[in-house]
Amino acid sequence: MQIFQYPNQPEWAALQQRAAAAEAHEVAQRVEQIFTDVRQRGDAALLDYAHRFDGADLGATGLRVTPQELEAAAAQVPAALQTAIRQAHANIRRFHEVQRPAEERVETMPGVLCWRRAVPVQRVGLYIPGGTAPLFSTLLMLGVPARLAGCPEVVLCTPPQADGSVNPTILFTAQLLGITTIIKAGGAQAVAALSGGTASVPAVDKIFGPGNRYVTAAKQLATRYGVAIDMPAGPSEVLVIADETANPAFVAADLLSQAEHGPDSQVILLSDSLAVLEATKVEVQRQLATLPRAAVAAQALEESRAILLRTPEEMLFFSNQYAPEHLILAVKNPDQLAGGVTSAGSVFLGHLTPEAVGDYASGTNHTLPTNGYAHNYSGVSLDSFLKKITFQRLTAEGLHSLGPIVETMAEAEGLSAHARAVTLRLDALAGTPA
């Protein structure tokens, strides 16, 4: 990691830059081709892509996970991992349960009653990567709120392994969540299938889940077909604010926990202590050498930065401009600094709160906005799986009090039919013939 000392604010923009996707145009073109192919050939296209990209021949077993495969998965998951997943499930459920919106009725004028009701998205698709790091934790993060919201149809897409099976821990987690429609499909082709449907894959109303740049581009393309998505998302990222009280070993571990996600992940370290920056840089190299995914993390570190700033306030100002997916406040008074956070996906306070707890089991959701989208997006929550529908009812008293207001406003906008819809009813109440 390169250390930058006291950069001036005009230089910050360059330091806050994410890795550019040089092939963005080519990726978008390829994804459009995949969408066209899946829409034209359906299951046949998905089977071809499974063979080409995953090395899996699904011709004999088909695209859907069978009840027998689902049942057999539990026996392949170690007991300790099953216990951990169950506890994480309970914590995530507990945190999301309290997010249920109350249905409150408001009388805006005498006889004018208005309210809003939350109803679940009817058909949701969950995309769970299953390559070098099968993200069963993400299935918890998406499946728990989907179930709490009451979504009637939940479809899970995840890539097959080379032998045509699905990672058993993903299947165990799906079984825990009561998800039985599981499709052996990954990448942009899975998103294409969810957005339009095939013989084996139900079409959905909203697609959730992370993925590589092809999956991200596919989700954005899906919106052109009338399918909603959870949020725009890109590579994982973390920003750590560390003062002189920070433990360099802790900070280095937090940085590496994001760097190991993928070569395009980004980590940023801010400190007002040069000694902390230098010690953390040394510790990063020491810990990196022991990681199974060291090559991946090392690539991510090439686009990462350590920056010396003057005060905690200046560090927070930098962070709010960057809008990180994950923000760690490794400082003496984290609660004080947290009060000024305006743009971040999820915040981790103090020296004993690693970002990893939010990734897995604290209860908060780890499906978060990246690439600066924390400026205007929230992470996934129960709300993400709900729609809000408004209702209103007028009594005769309500129409008498509100009607003339609507008539006046409608006529002023030149929308006479709007005014007439009120006038006819007022005349009827008054006994005047239409």
Side-chain angles (χ1 to χ4, degrees), residues 365-408:
N365 207 293
H366 80 200
T367 311
L368 302 166
T370 67
N371 203 34
Y373 281 109
H375 281 298
N376 38 43
Y377 280 85
S378 305
V380 164
S381 67
L382 188 64
D383 263 357
S384 306
F385 294 86
L386 297 170
K387 303 174 295 180
K388 311 299 195 309
I389 302 174
T390 57
F391 296 81
Q392 51 259 297
R393 178 189 291 122
L394 270 62
T395 64
E397 179 187 19
L399 187 62
H400 276 122
S401 57
L402 185 60
I405 295 169
V406 174
E407 287 175 316
T408 300

Side-chain angles (χ1 to χ4, degrees), residues 58-415:
L58 302 178
T61 60
L63 290 164
R64 286 207 179 201
V65 170
T66 66
Q68 293 76 20
E69 289 177 282
L70 194 58
E71 190 64 34
Q76 303 177 57
V77 180
L81 180 53
Q82 290 192 28
T83 300
I85 290 173
R86 291 183 191 279
Q87 185 60 62
H89 175 272
N91 292 353
I92 296 164
R93 182 181 178 88
R94 192 170 296 120
F95 180 75
H96 288 75
E97 270 181 330
V98 299
Q99 298 172 14
R100 293 184 186 278
E103 184 176 313
E104 297 184 4
R105 302 199 171 202
V106 179
E107 193 172 35
T108 58
M109 294 178 69
V112 180
L113 192 63
C114 301
W115 66 97
R116 190 171 74 156
R117 178 177 300 157
V119 299
V121 177
Q122 296 298 289
R123 303 172 302 171
V124 298
L126 312 183
Y127 179 75
I128 304 299
T132 58
L135 299 183
F136 60 87
S137 59
T138 299
L139 181 52
L140 285 173
M141 297 294 174
L142 300 176
V144 169
R147 285 306 186 206
L148 286 173
C151 299
E153 189 169 3
V154 180
V155 182
L156 166 60
C157 280
T158 192
Q161 300 179 117
D163 63 359
S165 66
V166 169
N167 180 278
T169 311
I170 288 179
L171 291 185
F172 169 77
T173 306
Q175 189 177 43
L176 180 64
L177 293 162
I179 298 173
T180 56
T181 305
I182 305 170
I183 311 299
K184 299 175 183 178
Q189 59 271 25
V191 177
L194 288 170
S195 68
T198 71
S200 297
V201 186
V204 301
D205 302 311
K206 190 170 185 178
I207 299 172
F208 295 78
N212 60 22
R213 61 185 185 273
Y214 288 94
V215 172
T216 299
K219 286 170 63 181
Q220 291 172 323
L221 180 58
T223 63
R224 285 163 43 185
Y225 293 93
V227 179
I229 62 173
D230 46 5
M231 69 190 78
S236 190
E237 60 196 30
V238 66
L239 185 147
V240 181
I241 295 179
D243 65 12
E244 73 282 354
T245 68
N247 184 322
F250 293 177
V251 174
D254 287 330
L255 297 174
L256 289 169
S257 71
Q258 286 304 297
E260 72 176 355
H261 269 296
D264 49 2
S265 297
Q266 187 175 62
V267 301
I268 302 289
L269 172 59
L270 308 179
S271 184
D272 52 6
S273 166
L274 182 59
V276 167
L277 291 183
E278 291 176 336
T280 301
K281 184 176 179 181
V282 170
E283 189 65 28
V284 163
Q285 292 306 311
R286 187 188 71 80
Q287 293 185 28
L288 177 64
T290 68
L291 290 179
R293 293 171 64 87
V296 171
Q299 284 183 267
L301 290 172
E302 292 177 6
E303 289 292 334
S304 301
R305 302 166 186 105
I307 303 169
L308 181 65
L309 296 173
R310 290 176 175 79
T311 64
E313 292 73 25
E314 190 176 33
M315 291 189 284
L316 184 61
F317 188 53
F318 184 106
S319 176
N320 282 331
Q321 285 188 346
Y322 180 75
E325 177 190 16
H326 306 99
L327 169 61
I328 299 175
L329 302 180
V331 298
K332 183 178 181 180
N333 298 308
D335 292 292
Q336 181 179 346
L337 203 59
V341 174
T342 59
S343 295
S346 192
V347 185
F348 303 81
L349 280 66
H351 302 308
L352 300 180
T353 315
E355 183 275 329
V357 299
D359 268 355
Y360 288 105
S362 66
T364 62
N365 207 293
H366 80 200
T367 311
L368 302 166
T370 67
N371 203 34
Y373 281 109
H375 281 298
N376 38 43
Y377 280 85
S378 305
V380 164
S381 67
L382 188 64
D383 263 357
S384 306
F385 294 86
L386 297 170
K387 303 174 295 180
K388 311 299 195 309
I389 302 174
T390 57
F391 296 81
Q392 51 259 297
R393 178 189 291 122
L394 270 62
T395 64
E397 179 187 19
L399 187 62
H400 276 122
S401 57
L402 185 60
I405 295 169
V406 174
E407 287 175 316
T408 300
M409 295 176 71
E411 292 292 357
E413 288 190 342
L415 300 176

